[in-house]
Amino acid sequence: MPKGPECQVERCKFPATTMHRLKEPSGPFDFPTDVVICEIHKDKLSDSATEWVLLNEGDGSRRLLVGPMLAELNEFVVLAPIKKLTVHAQSSRVVSHADHNGYSVPISVRRRGGEEETLTLVLPFDALVETADFLQHIAQRGRMRRTGEVDEA
Ligand SMILES: [Zn+2]
């Protein structure tokens, strides 16, 4: 007896029973998001609170990650703009390597597929200016794109 298609959620081996559209396209060139899935994932994905990511791989294949599986992406969504940066006084902390020292930048994040937490980046003093310039450049381009100005750079 021929076997029907399996659920397209990664590592799920249950038979696919239904076609599900993850997201309505917002333009004609959007990737299609129709997937065939099992009953369990149909219930999960029908809940708008469920987090998922559909990855379109270079070779034309797709991977659908749902919920805690997203942790494998090792990505952190920044929950609020960075507005704080501290420097520990030399008298309060001594580190073994000078280049392991710098500005402490606490960032409120949520790991994809996980919980909220605070990460603290330690940005070496020398790296701050270059990082700030880079982010400033990105921000400027984003602003121009939003206002419809042409980026001459
Ligand atoms: Zn499934």
Side-chain angles (χ1 to χ4, degrees):
M1 196 175 92
K3 222 171 136 216
E6 280 179 358
C7 174
Q8 289 186 314
V9 173
E10 184 126 311
R11 290 186 289 275
C12 183
K13 297 290 178 203
F14 288 114
T17 56
T18 184
M19 174 76 88
H20 179 78
R21 177 162 292 175
L22 292 164
K23 192 171 173 268
E24 289 302 324
S26 54
F29 302 111
D30 260 15
F31 284 114
T33 62
D34 291 342
V35 290
V36 291
I37 50 177
C38 69
E39 282 301 306
I40 294 165
H41 283 116
K42 180 188 157 199
D43 287 347
K44 277 213 167 103
L45 290 163
S46 298
D47 180 355
S48 62
T50 299
E51 196 181 1
W52 54 266
V53 172
L54 179 64
L55 300 163
N56 289 292
E57 308 280 31
D59 62 2
S61 67
R62 302 192 301 178
R63 296 176 62 204
L64 176 57
L65 306 179
V66 179
M69 287 179 195
L70 271 64
E72 76 167 61
L73 296 172
N74 201 25
E75 290 181 351
F76 296 83
V77 179
V78 175
L79 300 177
I82 298 165
K83 290 185 171 172
K84 205 170 103 185
L85 172 156
T86 59
V87 182
H88 294 285
Q90 275 187 346
S91 57
S92 74
R93 190 179 280 207
V94 179
V95 299
S96 58
H97 296 74
D99 57 349
H100 295 178
N101 212 352
Y103 299 98
S104 293
V105 186
I107 307 176
S108 174
V109 297
R110 193 182 52 73
R111 180 192 279 272
R112 286 198 200 278
E115 301 293 319
E116 291 184 24
E117 56 188 298
T118 299
L119 284 184
T120 300
L121 291 186
V122 177
L123 198 59
F125 299 113
D126 289 347
L128 178 69
V129 171
E130 212 174 313
T131 303
D133 285 350
F134 172 73
L135 292 176
Q136 172 71 24
H137 183 69
I138 302 281
Q140 230 154 23
R141 284 186 9 195
R143 205 173 292 132
M144 279 192 270
R145 203 169 298 129
R146 275 201 308 277
T147 58
E149 285 175 52
V150 179
D151 188 358
E152 300 289 341

